């Protein structure tokens, strides 16, 4: 049985801090308290505000409080820093998404809500700067870097397309899944320009509205 829009409960998403600690222990994420972690944090902010090309190694060193030459102790190049910022953002949010999906089971409407919520929180939460870099600086990656990120991004997008595909097969999503995903990608990414944490709606309330609009022609 497929859930109706009003029957879905929204349990809290898995806490980012807990997932982060686990992934650090597994060697999949950098400890943010380490020199390398601080470098990645400041790199995400600078790449987001100044742009990758305009951010210099001196900028990164100054923000992190280390000598310029020390950066290359942690990364072989500035482009490797960019790739790592993107890789760790996808890894963390993909892990959160999978864990949240496990809790709601197979129903595609409930799963779509989870995906929307996770992406909204990723864009407007702790990983917001890194996610913005992923969206806007993709073309700055080397060919090798793009190939590496693509494999992770394909896993991320497959979760979306599988869920949208199930909804389409059940007649709950009239439009092609690929088109819906592209439209949702743009709409959710744009929330960073207008969403405010002290505004009239929470991210989870916005997620409910996005779900309703996505399935508006077939909602019950």
């Amino acid at each position: 049985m497929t859930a109706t829009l009003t029957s879905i409960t929204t349990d809290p998403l898995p806490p980012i801090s807990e997932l982060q600690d686990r992934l650090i222990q597994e060697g999949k994420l950098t400890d943010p308290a380490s020199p390398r972690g601080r470098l990645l944090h400041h790199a995400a902010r600078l790449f987001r505000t100044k742009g990758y090309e305009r951010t210099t190694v001196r900028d990164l060193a100054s923000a992190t409080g280390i000598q310029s030459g020390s950066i290359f102790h942690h990364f072989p190049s500035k482009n490797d820093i960019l790739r790592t910022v993107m890789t760790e953002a996808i890894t963390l949010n993909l892990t959160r998404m999978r864990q949240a999906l496990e809790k709601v089971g197979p129903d595609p409407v409930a799963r779509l809500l989870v995906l929307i919520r996770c992406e909204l929180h990723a864009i407007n939460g702790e990983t917001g700067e890194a996610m913005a870099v992923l969206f806007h600086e993709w073309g700055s990656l080397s060919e090798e870097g793009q190939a590496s990120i693509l494999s992770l991004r394909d896993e991320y997008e497959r979760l979306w397309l599988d869920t949208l595909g199930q909804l389409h097969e059940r007649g709950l999503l009239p439009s092609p899944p690929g088109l819906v995903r592209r439209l949702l990608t743009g709409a959710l990414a744009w929330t960073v320009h207008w969403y405010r944490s002290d505004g009239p709606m929470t991210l989870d309330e916005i997620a409910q509205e996005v779900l309703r609009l996505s399935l508006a022609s077939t909602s019950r």
Side-chain angles (χ1 to χ4, degrees), residues 10-71:
T10 53
D11 293 331
L13 294 175
I16 280 287
S17 58
E18 293 180 10
L19 296 175
Q20 191 174 50
D21 289 344
R22 191 186 89 201
L23 291 170
I24 291 170
Q25 291 299 317
E26 294 174 358
K28 296 177 181 178
L29 284 188
T30 303
D31 184 347
S34 69
R36 178 184 166 98
R38 292 197 300 273
L39 175 55
L40 289 173
H41 169 76
H42 289 294
R45 179 177 55 81
L46 287 167
F47 294 160
R48 171 69 179 91
T49 56
K50 293 188 65 173
Y52 172 77
E53 295 296 339
R54 293 181 59 196
T55 299
T56 66
V57 171
R58 181 174 295 179
D59 290 333
L60 294 170
S62 176
T64 311
I66 61 176
Q67 297 293 322
S68 296
S70 299
I71 286 178

Side-chain angles (χ1 to χ4, degrees), residues 31 39 107 122 149 197:
D31 184 347
L39 175 55
D107 182 81
I149 297 297
S197 59

Side-chain angles (χ1 to χ4, degrees), residues 120-174:
L120 279 172
H121 281 271
I123 291 166
N124 294 282
E126 297 97 324
T127 61
E129 289 180 332
M131 291 294 286
V133 171
L134 178 63
F135 290 140
H136 298 295
E137 296 291 348
W138 169 256
S140 298
L141 282 171
S142 65
E143 288 186 12
E144 180 185 357
Q146 288 186 358
S148 172
I149 297 297
L150 271 177
S151 62
L152 273 176
R153 195 174 71 175
D154 285 348
E155 292 182 50
Y156 185 94
E157 291 300 319
R158 180 50 50 195
L159 294 175
W160 277 93
L161 292 175
D162 284 350
T163 297
L164 293 171
Q166 291 173 30
L167 290 166
H168 187 65
E169 289 172 1
R170 298 187 189 192
L172 297 173
L173 188 78

Side-chain angles (χ1 to χ4, degrees), residues 113-126:
L113 180 59
V114 163
L115 294 172
I116 294 169
R117 291 176 67 208
C118 284
E119 192 149 302
L120 279 172
H121 281 271
I123 291 166
N124 294 282
E126 297 97 324

